[in-house]
Amino acid sequence: MKILGYESSCDETGVALVCTEQGLLGHTLYSQVAMHEAYGGVVPELASRDHIRHILPLTQQLLAETNTHLADVDAVAYTAGPGLNGALLVGASVARSIAWALDLPAIPVHHLEGHLLSPLLAEPRPEFPFIALLVSGGHTQIMQVDGVGQYRLLGETLDDAAGEAFDKSAKLMGLGYPGGPALSSLAQQGDADQIVLPRPMLHSKDLDFSFSGLKTAVLTRLRALEQQYGQVPAEQRANLAAGTEAAIVDVLVAKVIKALKQTGLKRLVVAGGVGANQPLRQKLLAQAEKIQADVFFPPVALCTDNGAMIAFAAAMRAKAGLLGPDLKNPSFTVRPRWPLEELSTPIT
């Protein structure tokens, strides 16, 4: 079964082709980062228009690169939520139109389920059950995953996500957009021990997070440096970036290790854009080794939003018998807000 998948939830347009037997056959991706950089963040209306411009050329490119015709496709999957309403509608409209024209099933996919299952695209593949850390620009959650569609929320952020903490702190430092990668790059030149920032909720008894206070701490320290030096020296700016990154990473690692210990599980999956952060990867691997747990990451190229994870999630649901009965209905809705815990039942 070949599934054509579309991702358009925010600022990446992704198209991919997955075979339930052969795995990922190919994927194409267009990022809008350069366009949104001038505004310091994603502009929803511009994102929607850019998806419209690129989604069909990317489809044609993918079919050419995989030597595939639309007649070879057995189903079409698309991100139905969560995400930006207008952006979601672009991918959903194209996917549903293709499916209706070819009399194929159209499979709505939860964006976070795509991230959650994306590490299974690479070898070695984790076996169920496992603990998952979903960590991206808009989401920070710890889930227990017992199987496809079997998810239990163990902890989540009470305010800003880890990715937002990276981006907002970077913006305060004048590092531009996207802030996370820029801050991580600057942090490599700094010493985290020189500027120690608070680790919010590090020692709380639950598995929840809170990162909104961290950006306030960054702002306070930045103002103190400006008062001390006038213009903050490059070395001190790098130290602040390193201290910020270390604070975020320490909290994420501590909570995930606590989740592994509490559940007794020995497998950890890390998914989402922040999962590409190298200090996070290194510290998770080191701490997990101490408790004899294995850590699985998706390939770095598949950490950000992409069509491969959407097509793959649809394929996994098809294998698990979790597709609804009415997948050829041309009418559809998108869900900008969609709790992941609702996916224990078939979606339509």
Side-chain angles (χ1 to χ4, degrees), residues 178-322:
L183 188 145
S184 294
S185 178
L186 181 59
Q188 294 177 16
Q189 306 169 35
D191 182 355
D193 294 330
Q194 296 301 311
I195 299 181
V196 179
L197 295 171
R199 273 67 170 160
M201 297 184 69
L202 180 66
H203 300 295
S204 66
K205 295 181 180 180
D206 54 38
L207 296 174
D208 290 331
F209 304 89
S210 172
F211 292 107
S212 64
L214 181 60
K215 70 175 184 295
T216 304
V218 170
L219 177 60
T220 301
R221 189 57 62 92
L222 187 61
R223 285 177 174 171
L225 290 170
E226 289 171 345
Q227 187 174 12
Q228 180 180 355
Y229 294 101
Q231 183 174 355
V232 181
E235 180 182 357
Q236 292 296 327
R237 193 174 293 273
N239 289 341
L240 182 57
T244 303
E245 181 176 62
I248 296 171
V249 168
D250 284 353
V251 173
L252 291 174
V253 171
K255 293 287 185 172
V256 168
I257 296 300
K258 183 184 289 187
L260 289 168
K261 290 179 178 179
Q262 287 183 0
T263 60
L265 296 178
K266 293 295 184 180
R267 287 181 290 272
L268 169 66
V269 161
V270 182
V274 181
N277 180 274
Q278 290 305 311
L280 175 62
R281 288 186 172 220
Q282 293 164 7
K283 190 156 190 176
L284 275 175
L285 287 168
Q287 294 300 313
E289 185 178 8
K290 292 180 180 180
I291 59 172
Q292 298 181 317
D294 296 317
V295 187
F296 301 85
F297 302 94
V300 172
L302 298 181
C303 283
T304 57
D305 298 346
N306 60 85
M309 68 183 193
I310 301 305
F312 183 70
M316 293 290 287
R317 282 196 154 261
K319 280 188 172 183
L322 291 175

